[in-house]
Amino acid sequence: MSNPFLKQVFNKDKTFRPKRKFEPGTQRFELHKKAQASLNAGLDLRLAVQLPPGEDLHDWVAVHVVDFFNRVNLIYGTISDGCTEQSCPVMSGGPKYEYRWQDEHKFRKPTALSAPRYMDLLMDWIEAQINNEDLFPTNVGTPFPKNFLQTVRKILSRLFRVFVHVYIHHFDRIAQMGSEAHVNTCYKHFYYFVKEFGLIDTKELEPLKEMTARMCH
């Protein structure tokens, strides 16, 4: 494991959570392998995100949501020691954008939090969603709930905020570790996917608009 980015990831336990895996032999596992094979073959990311013929949209989306959660978690885990209550007292994306946390439990109203606190709540919340069998059924044939795509939009919008914070406030750390190409590829993959299936409102994408225009067009 000579890659310093991967070393950094696997030596950390602060915000790195165990990966959500797909059970071998399941349709979801086969889709996951198909998606990974496209990426490994160096296929254009715009093409790699397209729904394969004959596959179910909900299954394809579920596989990617779990994959993006795992990847974004790793990216944040590598810079988290530099993202503290002192350095990032507000969860923001530059001076124009501040993200407030809201959930169904403790924070019923949008609440200003430090970036590390926000990230912690966010990762716990997404983990709970993707491990909820009613929302992300793992048994083939079990239908997805009617609110599946609505929930997915919320998950992906919130994951996008991690990219915003990392790019705007911690990119020097990413560059210092030599992992910008890896992070950029993860971002492009995420961006093309949400655009392909209309899973994020355009206004959410505003903070990285200029960077995205350079990187993805």
Side-chain angles (χ1 to χ4, degrees):
M1 201 189 288
S2 59
N3 183 326
F5 178 74
L6 291 178
K7 267 191 184 150
Q8 180 81 1
V9 166
F10 291 107
N11 289 343
K12 290 193 74 63
D13 58 9
K14 189 174 164 193
T15 55
F16 178 53
R17 292 158 163 73
K19 274 191 165 190
R20 167 79 196 265
K21 291 199 169 65
F22 301 100
E23 289 301 314
T26 62
Q27 185 184 8
R28 205 77 51 78
F29 181 73
E30 294 308 315
L31 271 183
H32 177 64
K33 282 204 306 189
K34 192 179 284 190
Q36 289 304 309
S38 295
L39 293 177
N40 294 341
L43 187 66
D44 181 337
L45 288 169
R46 280 188 187 87
L47 300 176
V49 299
Q50 292 174 1
L51 181 66
E55 297 297 353
D56 177 73
L57 172 66
H58 289 69
D59 275 320
W60 188 241
V61 168
V63 162
H64 282 81
V65 169
V66 172
D67 190 42
F68 290 137
F69 169 67
N70 287 333
R71 287 166 189 261
V72 173
N73 216 340
L74 286 177
I75 290 167
Y76 182 69
T78 61
I79 60 93
S80 61
D81 54 354
C83 182
T84 65
E85 302 279 335
Q86 289 72 38
S87 68
C88 304
V90 175
M91 173 56 183
S92 61
K96 279 173 68 179
Y97 301 95
E98 181 185 329
Y99 299 119
R100 298 184 171 214
W101 181 256
Q102 185 174 16
D103 57 32
E104 303 81 33
H105 307 294
K106 190 175 172 187
F107 300 97
R108 291 180 178 272
K109 290 181 180 172
T111 307
L113 297 171
S114 69
R117 180 85 176 108
Y118 185 102
M119 297 292 188
D120 229 26
L121 289 165
L122 172 59
M123 298 305 182
D124 284 346
W125 177 79
I126 296 177
E127 200 167 20
Q129 306 307 303
I130 62 178
N131 286 310
N132 179 346
E133 279 287 329
D134 293 333
L135 263 180
F136 282 73
T138 49
N139 294 328
V140 177
T142 303
F144 284 86
K146 287 190 172 64
N147 66 338
F148 175 69
L149 288 178
Q150 185 187 339
T151 304
V152 160
R153 283 190 179 94
K154 196 169 182 181
I155 290 172
L156 293 174
S157 290
R158 287 179 162 184
L159 273 180
F160 181 77
R161 295 170 182 185
V162 181
F163 278 119
V164 173
H165 185 73
V166 167
Y167 269 119
I168 292 176
H169 296 279
H170 300 288
F171 195 72
D172 53 343
R173 181 93 172 97
I174 296 287
Q176 185 189 3
M177 288 159 55
S179 49
E180 58 207 285
H182 172 84
V183 175
N184 288 347
T185 300
C186 287
Y187 176 72
K188 284 197 277 191
H189 187 199
F190 180 95
Y191 175 79
Y192 288 135
F193 187 81
V194 298
K195 291 296 281 182
E196 174 76 13
F197 300 105
L199 294 172
I200 286 191
D201 288 342
T202 306
K203 69 177 192 315
E204 276 282 348
L205 299 171
E206 279 289 317
L208 296 181
K209 191 176 168 184
E210 288 178 18
M211 184 196 81
T212 305
R214 288 195 307 272
M215 200 188 287
C216 299
H217 296 295

